[in-house]
């Protein structure tokens, strides 16, 4: 189902070609003409893609034609990307902070000649490559005529093209669907609860009893298990609860490890099976547990017998829930009860459908008649009713609804086995750009928690989102997939219940995404690469082999590690490489083979170095090295001029490349948990596109970034942690950063490394803080190790949006500011390690929104705020008060 991806690629190619011409970076006539001809030919071809979409399912020649077109579109994208990179180089300063053009002042005669010569050679190579791909595209354009592909016309085409060209339509309501809502299963939920909470005859022989929820995909087996698992009575009944996603690979070691992690709520290192089972046996001993094995496919009794011994250590009354599509699987899981899940009634399916389809329709009664006929085609499958209902919500006319009812897709199961017609129609309803974003999600494993922030940045890295506000648009794309029920199980932010952090895909939706992506996206084990179609592979997620932990000949040598990569070197078109493994090194020649990489994620691996050849990755946009053992990056990273996202959270990083100021494409630099990092390199202030900088270290020496460089970073968003504020030496220097202009920051942390000593130092510290006034949009403020005895009067009371105020390890602080009463939105106040703070201001009792107060290591204040203390009346209105001894 490559058609929609091709459509999006062609659209992006036309857009990029126009941008190159518009930016006037092509000055040679030959190059300009090639670009214009390419754009014109792409436009001619785009007009027949609808017909190709219809025919490609049954016509191999058309399918091959689309594959060829896709390859040309990708190649054009690469060529344009490399050309724009050269244009970026001409704008960026070199290591000495001098632009290429200003070097003419230094080498007045020779440099212009050399630069001019190199530029002409570069343009000649660019023109030659463009001419080559144009020749291929011309052949494709001729073949469309031989294949008889035509431009569709008529009412059906008009309506479908409106959908295909449409933008993401924001719903009248901004709320996201309740992912745990359930329709028509209340009786079945009670039946499951009765089994969990009651006695079972099966407990005579074993300590646990098993119930298997059986039904076809999309019926809601997992949702029913979730409702039982999260029931308050169930939580109180069991000592320990574990939820494990099994999916198609019944790997005993992985399930055992996941059970430990679910039971303890913490990660578990990779061990062999025997020590893992010993650890689980110890955790479960004499405890009544509930285990959910979600989405089991294996009918192998031996694997079940191998898995179950540790669970026999639990207390009598323990329970295991298995969800599966097959009754044979249920019998293989051991003796127990089988609960067959039937389809929903028509009325219940209609309720699910109408929630998304009719809530904001003006001609409701006219559309209901057609809608009920559509629901009849959903066959009682709630996933089908919900997704097609979400798709219909954006269709306003009777004719648009009739076209869905009359679609041939309802009879397409003979073409795409296992894909629900309603899901196909929901996919077809997506705009082209969103179709490509959806297909990309198949690069993740089934049951994978897809982090919103990560996937949006990966979409941006792949060029799927071409607008100026890329991250904002990507966020809307993600939310729209969630509203359409193509994503589910939204996990919300702990501090903001309107902000989605991550989601999952239903297995059937993942199957659809995989079908759409075809051989472009793959998830594969490191030592099972022979199954890959390397010629067409562009997006890859590598995982550890199942037996990696149990092998007698464990791979430790560099040679053995390199052999694991050898097969992959043939994947010359690779654009995404994500890892979920214990890789310890990256081969030096890896990036010679993967020169088209846009995204590289080596987080959570044990690598210690990155080869200098990473600088060869001209197209690289996304690099994640978080939670690795890397101490420094090679200076060659600075050559990755297109890099947008650099994630280095919680690694052993000690320094960054000196030439970071050249990386003018950077939009996100994440440095959380990098305690060994002593300074940022000079030139950070030149990164005018920067949206995220989680840490700024005030340089105390000549190597470090200067405080004043913050002045130029007024697009910063999210959180900023400023460390080393004692190095800001005066009020005038403090003004240089212009913190009050950082209107998009919602969280700010001030930390001082050294305590102020002496009256003069305290006074200077207080004067500097008085100037460090943030923008009034700030929601969270944290002040750590501040050496002053008081806070500045004035600006703290202006933070009318501030929800969290945290004051920690301020040993000299004697009072809080009197203007606290102006913080009307304050919900959380933390005061830790402030021994000189002896009382709270009277105004605190006026903060009616304040929900939480934490006081710790403030001896006098603790006594005054306890029950019966002198200050207790000031905080009596706060629902949650925690005072540590």
């Amino acid at each position: 189902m490559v058609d929609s991806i091709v459509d999006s690629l062609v659209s992006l190619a036309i857009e990029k070609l126009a941008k190159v011409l518009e930016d006037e970076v092509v000055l040679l006539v030959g190059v300009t003409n090639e670009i214009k001809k390419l754009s014109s030919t792409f436009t001619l071809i785009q007009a027949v893609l609808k017909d190709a979409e219809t025919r490609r399912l049954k016509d191999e020649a058309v399918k091959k034609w689309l594959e060829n077109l896709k390859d040309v579109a990708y190649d054009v994208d690469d060529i344009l990307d490399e050309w724009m990179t050269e244009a970026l180089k001409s704008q960026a300063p070199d290591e000495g902070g001098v632009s290429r053009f200003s070097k003419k002042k230094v080498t007045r005669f020779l440099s212009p000649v050399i630069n001019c010569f190199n530029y002409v050679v570069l343009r000649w190579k660019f023109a030659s490559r463009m001419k080559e791909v144009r020749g291929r595209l011309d052949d494709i354009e001729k073949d469309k005529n031989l294949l008889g592909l035509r431009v569709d016309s008529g009412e059906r085409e008009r309506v479908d093209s409106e959908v295909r060209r449409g933008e993401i339509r924001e719903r009248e309501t901004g709320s996201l669907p309740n992912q745990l809502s359930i329709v028509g299963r209340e009786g079945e939920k009670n039946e499951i609860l009765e089994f969990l909470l009651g006695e079972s005859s099966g407990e005579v022989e074993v300590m646990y009893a098993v119930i298997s929820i059986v039904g076809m995909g999309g019926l809601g087996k997992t949702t029913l298990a979730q409702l039982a698992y999260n029931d308050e009575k169930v939580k109180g009944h069991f000592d320990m609860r574990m939820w494990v996603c099994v999916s198609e690979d019944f790997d005993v070691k992985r399930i055992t490890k996941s059970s430990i992690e679910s039971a303890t709520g913490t990660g578990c290192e990779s061990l062999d099976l025997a020590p893992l089972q010993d650890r689980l046996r110890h955790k479960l001993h004499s405890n009544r547990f509930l285990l959910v094995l979600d989405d089991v496919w294996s009918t192998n009794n031996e694997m079940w017998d191998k898995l179950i011994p540790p669970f026999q250590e639990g207390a009598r009354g323990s329970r295991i829930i298995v969800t599966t599509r097959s009754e044979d699987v249920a019998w293989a899981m051991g003796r127990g009860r089988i609960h067959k899940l039937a389809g929903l009634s028509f009325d219940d399916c209609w309720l699910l459908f109408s929630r998304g389809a009719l809530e904001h329709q003006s001609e409701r009664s006219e559309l209901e008649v057609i809608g009920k006929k559509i629901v009849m085609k959903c066959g009682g499958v709630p996933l089908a009713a919900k997704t097609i209902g979400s798709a219909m919500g954006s269709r306003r006319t009777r004719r648009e609804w009739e076209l869905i009812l009359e679609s041939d897709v309802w009879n397409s199961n003979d073409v795409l086995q296992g894909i629900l017609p309603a899901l196909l129609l929901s996919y077809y309803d997506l705009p082209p750009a969103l179709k490509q974003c959806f297909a990309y999600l198949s690069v993740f494993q089934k049951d994978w928690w897809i982090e919103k922030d990560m996937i949006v940045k990966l979409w941006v890295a792949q060029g799927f989102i071409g607008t100026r506000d890329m991250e904002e648009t990507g966020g809307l794309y993600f939310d729209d997939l969630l509203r359409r029920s193509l994503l589910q199980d939204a996990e919300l932010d702990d501090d903001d219940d309107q902000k989605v952090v991550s989601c999952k895909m239903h297995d059937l939706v993942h199957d659809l995404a995989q079908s759409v992506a075809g051989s472009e996206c793959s998830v594969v084990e490191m030592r099972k690469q022979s199954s890959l179609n390397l010629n067409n592979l562009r997006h890859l997620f590598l995982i550890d082999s199942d037996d990696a932990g149990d092998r007698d000949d464990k791979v430790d040598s560099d040679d053995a590690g390199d052999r694991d990569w050898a097969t992959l070197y043939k994947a010359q078109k690779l654009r995404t490489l994500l890892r979920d493994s214990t890789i310890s090194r990256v081969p030096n020649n890896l990036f010679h083979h993967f020169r088209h990489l846009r995204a590289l994620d080596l987080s959570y691996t044990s690598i210690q170095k990155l080869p200098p050849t990473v600088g060869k990755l001209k197209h690289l946009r996304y690099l994640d090295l978080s939670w690795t053992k890397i101490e420094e990056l090679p200076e060659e990273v600075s050559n990755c001029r297109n890099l947008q996202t650099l994630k280095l959270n919680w690694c052993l990083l000690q320094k960054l490349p000196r030439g970071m100021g050249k990386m003018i494409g950077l939009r996100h630099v994440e440095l959380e948990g990098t305690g060994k990092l002593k300074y940022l390199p000079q030139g950070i202030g030149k990164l005018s596109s920067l949206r995220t900088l989680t840490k700024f270290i005030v340089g105390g020496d000549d190597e470090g970034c200067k405080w004043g460089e913050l002045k130029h970073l007024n697009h910063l968003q999210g959180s900023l942690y400023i460390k080393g504020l004692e190095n800001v030496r005066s009020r005038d220097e403090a003004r240089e950063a212009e913190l009050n202009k950082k209107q998009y920051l919602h969280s700010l942390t001030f930390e001082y490394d050294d305590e102020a000593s002496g009256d003069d130092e305290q006074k200077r510290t207080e004067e500097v803080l008085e100037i460090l006034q943030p923008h009034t949009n700030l929601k969270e403020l944290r002040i750590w190790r501040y050496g002053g005895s008081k806070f500045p009067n004035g600006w703290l009371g202006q933070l009318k949006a501030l929800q969290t105020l945290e004051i920690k390890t301020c040993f000299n602080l004697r009072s809080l500011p009197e203007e606290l009463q102006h913080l009307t939105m304050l919900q959380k106040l933390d005061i830790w390690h402030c021994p000189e703070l002896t009382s709270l201001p009277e105004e605190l009792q006026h903060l009616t929104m304040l929900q939480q107060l934490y006081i710790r290591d403030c001896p006098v204040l603790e006594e005054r705020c306890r029950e019966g203390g002198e200050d207790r009346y000031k905080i009596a209105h706060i629902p949650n008060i925690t005072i540590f001894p």
Side-chain angles (χ1 to χ4, degrees), residues 385-631:
K386 191 162 53 173
T387 53
I388 195 63
S390 297
M392 299 307 293
S394 61
R395 293 174 176 257
R396 303 300 189 193
T397 68
R398 177 187 180 89
R399 182 56 184 152
E400 286 179 308
W401 280 52
E402 287 175 341
L403 288 175
I404 292 296
L405 178 63
E406 297 164 5
S407 173
D408 293 336
V409 175
W410 293 109
N411 303 315
S412 65
N413 264 2
D414 59 328
V415 178
L416 295 168
Q417 289 292 331
I419 305 296
L420 294 173
L423 294 183
L424 275 175
L425 287 167
S426 298
Y427 168 74
Y428 288 141
D429 189 58
L430 298 174
L434 194 49
K435 286 177 180 175
Q436 193 171 23
C437 291
F438 171 76
Y440 187 79
L441 296 176
S442 64
V443 76
F444 297 103
Q445 302 177 66
K446 286 185 176 180
D447 294 315
W448 190 267
W449 282 102
I450 301 171
E451 295 181 13
K452 180 177 180 179
D453 180 73
M454 176 185 184
I455 194 59
V456 167
K457 288 173 180 172
L458 285 173
W459 284 340
V460 170
Q462 296 303 324
F464 296 162
I465 304 168
T467 63
R468 185 179 298 273
D469 299 322
M470 295 182 286
E471 292 84 359
E472 291 80 359
T473 302
L476 289 176
Y477 282 14
F478 188 94
D479 291 344
D480 202 58
L481 289 174
L482 181 58
R483 276 190 286 265
R484 293 169 184 265
S485 299
L486 293 173
L487 291 174
Q488 63 179 29
D489 297 339
E491 181 184 38
L492 303 178
D493 188 277
D494 291 337
D495 299 321
D496 185 355
D497 60 6
Q498 295 298 310
K499 181 180 179 182
V500 175
V501 176
S502 61
C503 286
K504 281 188 175 183
M505 294 182 78
H506 191 281
D507 280 359
L508 293 184
V509 178
H510 190 282
D511 291 341
L512 171 62
Q514 184 63 67
S515 176
V516 169
S519 59
E520 281 199 8
C521 293
S522 185
V523 178
V524 70
E525 294 177 10
M526 189 64 178
R527 298 186 183 92
K528 294 183 180 179
Q529 302 163 25
S530 58
S531 61
L532 293 174
N533 182 348
L534 296 175
N535 291 330
N536 292 323
L537 184 65
R538 285 188 167 88
H539 310 293
L540 176 65
F541 194 120
L542 274 177
I543 57 176
D544 268 337
S545 297
D546 296 338
D547 61 346
D550 295 323
R551 287 163 52 102
D552 293 329
D553 57 335
K554 291 181 182 176
V555 178
D556 291 320
S557 71
D558 290 350
D559 291 341
D562 287 352
R563 284 198 299 271
D564 287 339
W565 292 99
T567 304
L568 276 181
Y569 289 161
K570 299 176 184 177
Q572 299 285 331
K573 299 176 181 178
L574 201 64
R575 289 183 164 218
T576 301
L577 178 58
L578 311 178
R579 289 298 308 261
D580 178 37
S581 75
T582 55
I583 176 178
S584 59
R585 66 183 295 272
V586 176
N588 288 328
N589 62 344
L590 181 69
F591 303 126
H592 289 302
H593 300 278
F594 298 153
R595 293 200 175 202
H596 296 289
L597 275 180
R598 260 77 170 167
L600 176 62
D601 186 347
L602 297 172
S603 60
Y604 293 93
T605 63
S606 54
I607 63 170
Q608 299 180 16
K609 291 184 178 180
L610 201 62
T613 50
V614 69
K616 300 288 185 181
L617 301 179
K618 294 182 180 180
H619 304 282
L620 192 66
R621 259 82 171 177
Y622 181 99
L623 178 60
D624 190 351
L625 300 171
S626 300
W627 296 93
T628 63
K629 297 180 180 179
I630 284 181
E631 295 183 1

Side-chain angles (χ1 to χ4, degrees), residues 1 95 153 463 627 724 835:
M1 200 181 291
E95 290 83 351
S153 59
W627 296 93

Side-chain angles (χ1 to χ4, degrees), residues 207-208 240 242 252-253 255-257 259-260 273-287 289 291 303-315 318 320:
M207 295 295 183
Y208 60 86
M240 196 171 293
M242 295 160 284
V252 173
K253 191 177 79 169
I255 296 172
T256 303
K257 181 173 180 288
S259 298
I260 296 171
L273 179 60
L276 282 174
Q277 289 195 322
D278 286 341
R279 183 175 297 186
L280 181 58
R281 186 179 289 109
H282 176 74
K283 293 289 182 184
L284 297 178
H285 182 69
S286 299
N287 283 311
F289 68 82
L291 170 67
M303 299 300 287
W304 173 255
D305 292 339
K306 191 176 180 181
L307 171 72
I308 208 64
F311 297 97
Q312 294 171 345
E313 291 291 319
S318 295
I320 298 177

Side-chain angles (χ1 to χ4, degrees), residues 130-383:
M130 294 297 278
K131 186 174 182 179
E132 187 271 332
V133 294
R134 186 175 67 81
R136 290 161 56 197
L137 191 64
D138 286 345
D139 291 339
I140 290 171
E141 199 277 330
K142 293 173 185 176
D143 288 343
K144 81 175 172 58
N145 299 322
L146 294 175
L147 291 169
L149 296 174
R150 57 189 175 82
V151 179
D152 284 347
S153 59
E155 177 68 11
R156 180 182 295 271
E157 169 62 16
R158 183 189 68 78
V159 173
D160 287 348
S161 65
E162 286 179 2
V163 174
R164 290 166 63 82
R165 293 194 301 267
E167 296 295 328
I168 302 297
R169 302 181 185 180
E170 290 195 49
R171 301 294 180 85
E172 283 81 353
T173 173
S175 62
L176 295 170
N178 179 2
Q179 298 299 308
L180 284 180
S181 63
I182 192 168
V183 172
R185 300 295 191 195
E186 194 61 34
E188 288 165 306
K189 174 191 171 184
N190 291 333
E191 186 176 336
I192 301 296
L193 290 179
E194 183 180 345
F195 168 80
L196 295 180
L197 303 176
E199 295 182 1
S200 171
S201 58
E203 294 176 48
V204 175
E205 299 178 8
V206 293
M207 295 295 183
Y208 60 86
V210 181
I211 185 170
S212 297
I213 304 174
V214 181
M216 67 172 288
L219 281 183
K221 302 181 296 295
T222 299
T223 301
L224 182 60
Q226 283 176 331
L227 288 168
Y229 185 84
N230 290 297
D231 184 86
E232 291 301 323
K233 292 180 181 178
V234 169
K235 290 180 181 179
H237 184 76
F238 293 97
D239 303 312
M240 196 171 293
R241 294 179 305 139
M242 295 160 284
W243 183 287
V244 178
C245 296
V246 178
S247 198
E248 298 172 33
D249 180 22
F250 195 95
D251 177 55
V252 173
K253 191 177 79 169
R254 180 179 63 82
I255 296 172
T256 303
K257 181 173 180 288
S258 296
S259 298
I260 296 171
E261 292 174 340
S262 182
T264 61
T266 59
C268 174
E269 65 270 32
S270 294
L271 303 171
D272 290 342
L273 179 60
L276 282 174
Q277 289 195 322
D278 286 341
R279 183 175 297 186
L280 181 58
R281 186 179 289 109
H282 176 74
K283 293 289 182 184
L284 297 178
H285 182 69
S286 299
N287 283 311
R288 184 161 57 192
F289 68 82
L290 169 62
L291 170 67
V292 177
L293 297 175
D294 185 40
D295 192 26
V296 180
W297 289 67
S298 174
T299 58
N300 190 329
N301 297 76
E302 293 181 3
M303 299 300 287
W304 173 255
D305 292 339
K306 191 176 180 181
L307 171 72
I308 208 64
F311 297 97
Q312 294 171 345
E313 291 291 319
R316 195 173 302 278
S318 295
R319 297 287 185 266
I320 298 177
I321 299 177
V322 174
T323 71
T324 179
R325 300 184 191 183
S326 169
E327 195 168 335
D328 292 338
V329 172
W331 287 114
M333 294 299 98
R335 59 181 301 172
R337 186 183 304 183
I338 294 179
H339 181 91
K340 294 183 180 179
L341 202 60
L344 287 183
S345 67
F346 172 83
D347 289 341
D348 289 331
C349 275
W350 171 249
L351 180 58
L352 284 175
F353 174 88
S354 58
R355 281 178 179 173
L358 294 171
E359 187 175 0
H360 300 291
Q361 300 285 9
S362 56
E363 302 296 329
R364 187 182 179 105
S365 59
E366 186 180 40
L367 299 178
E368 278 189 6
V369 176
I370 306 170
K372 288 181 178 179
K373 293 179 182 178
I374 292 175
V375 170
M376 290 293 292
K377 292 179 176 288
C378 291
V381 180
L383 180 64

